[in-house]
Amino acid sequence: MIPEKPSIREKIAYALGDAAAGGIVWKVMSIAFPLFFTNIFGLTVVDTATLMLVARLFDVVTDPIMGAVADRTRSRWGTYRPWLIFGAVPLGVVFALLLFTPDFSPAGKRVWAYSLYLLMMAVYTAVNVPYGSLLGVMTDDDNEKNKFSSFRMVGAYAMGFITLLSFPYLQKMVGGSEAHQYAVLAAALGAVAALMTLACGLLTRERLKPVRAEKFSLKPFADLFRNKPWVYLTLAGICSNFFNGFRYAVAGYLFTYCLGGDVTFNRLIINYTVFMTFGEVTCMIFGALSPAFTKLAGSKKRAFTLAALICAVTSVAFFFIPMNSAYIWLMILMVVLTSVGIGFYSPLLWSMYADVADYATQKNGTSSTGLIFSSGTMAQKFGSAISGALLTLLLGVVGFSSGSDASGQAVVTIAQGCLPAVQHMIWAIFSLIPAAIALIMIVLVRLYPIKK
């Protein structure tokens, strides 16, 4: 009997999952943090960095556990889909609360931020690890997996494009203080993310049954570190998210302190979210072209290597653009060219995780799909948040500081004479540091042993 081929509708439904998690929740968290915490919420630079580091240590434990739990889930909705169906509403609600600024003392704000951020990471893990694992059980056709992965990336980048492009206009529409604007928009976006996640869970199908272990064991965790393809791919995944994490996290500071605020052309407002939107739409287009690019390159490894090389070269080129808003279109051009490389390699990463899961099943005799895909989610959160933590620490080293006054209002200061150092640090974090990371990615992917 010929297996049923997944429909376009199902691929679109699968894409809605990452449109919610990647295009709304993670995109806002990546680009708004740590700027939101330091300049609007009112945490200190040290508190912001510590918050993100603590959350990452938390994820190191919860992500693989969630992967193992998801692999052993049995329900009328399948193995992985119930986590999307029942996790949709908590995802939207916690996201909305995270971007709400309570009228608390500095100590109260600190408790609120830490509690909500850790809860957000836990809910995100409970939804996104099973979502990634779902790719491994919807089809056993490698070409179809590439297509699902490509739809996923297009969904994430398309929704990221809509979210970031509309953000400054929606802020203007909401009015009031920046804290009020973020709170209202987070509630609205959280509701949209919840609906998309629910639709993904309800409209996709699990056609394959995972080969389950008879009982819980720590062996699958130990097997991961003996799985060379997993080791190299996970390190490459962490680097790819460092690459994106630094650029997104520093974009708000780049406009505030290097370009003197928003740049306006006629009615077009180019702020930091719109600036990165040009990259989002490029990633969306070239993410859709990733399967064709991979076929042209001859293998996933070669395609990933070429894509990372594009990112390295264009990032270095950005560093030499003058730090002046008059060159905004040249900056945008470099962002677009960098995003060509990101668009090509992003779908490949998840398709390669599916290959690693197949390799592990053949080698070990039982499925660890959820556990393996959880490492992809962990790499995403680890790279984005650690880059945000390092960003605030690097800015603190060159004279940037933040906090709240006695009334709870956010206060930002730059030490006397340190503005040029802060500006150059911001510029390097957006360009040279990502370029170095892209070169490391190339080395890691060249060492990745699966040849497909």
Side-chain angles (χ1 to χ4, degrees), residues 296-349:
L296 184 66
S299 71
K300 295 178 184 179
K301 281 180 62 171
R302 192 170 299 146
F304 200 113
T305 300
L306 291 172
L309 185 60
I310 292 171
C311 293
V313 171
T314 54
S315 294
V316 171
F318 187 96
F319 180 77
F320 294 99
I321 300 174
M323 198 183 298
N324 189 306
S325 61
Y327 294 89
I328 187 68
W329 292 110
L330 183 56
M331 297 175 201
I332 288 171
L333 174 62
M334 249 356 91
V335 167
V336 166
L337 293 176
T338 301
S339 299
V340 170
I342 299 171
F344 279 147
Y345 75 60
S346 293
L348 279 173
L349 194 64

Side-chain angles (χ1 to χ4, degrees), residues 63 84 89 119 259 311:
D63 277 40
L84 279 74
V89 172
L119 183 58
L259 302 182
C311 293

Side-chain angles (χ1 to χ4, degrees), residues 33-80:
F33 301 158
L35 184 70
F36 170 78
F37 279 131
T38 59
N39 289 38
I40 299 169
F41 193 89
L43 290 185
T44 66
V45 167
V46 172
D47 278 337
T48 301
T50 303
L51 168 62
M52 294 182 176
L53 287 170
V54 168
R56 294 295 59 76
L57 294 175
F58 180 66
D59 280 340
V60 167
V61 176
T62 59
D63 277 40
I65 290 176
M66 185 63 232
V69 170
D71 282 336
R72 286 161 179 77
T73 299
R74 300 171 188 263
S75 78
R76 57 181 291 192
W77 298 278
T79 299
Y80 304 114

Side-chain angles (χ1 to χ4, degrees), residues 218-231 359 363-364 449:
L218 292 176
K219 184 177 181 296
F221 294 90
D223 287 341
L224 278 182
F225 294 93
R226 291 192 289 267
N227 185 331
K228 286 186 179 181
W230 175 84
V231 171
Y359 170 87
K363 183 178 179 182
N364 303 319

Side-chain angles (χ1 to χ4, degrees), residues 137-170:
V137 295
M138 288 193 294
T139 178
D140 59 359
D141 186 312
D142 196 53
N143 187 48
E144 286 294 316
K145 286 179 183 177
N146 284 344
K147 289 179 181 178
F148 268 112
S149 189
S150 183
F151 266 82
R152 171 184 183 166
M153 291 298 104
V154 170
Y157 287 127
M159 196 63 216
F161 167 75
I162 294 169
T163 302
L164 299 185
L165 182 63
S166 63
F167 207 85
Y169 301 98
L170 293 174

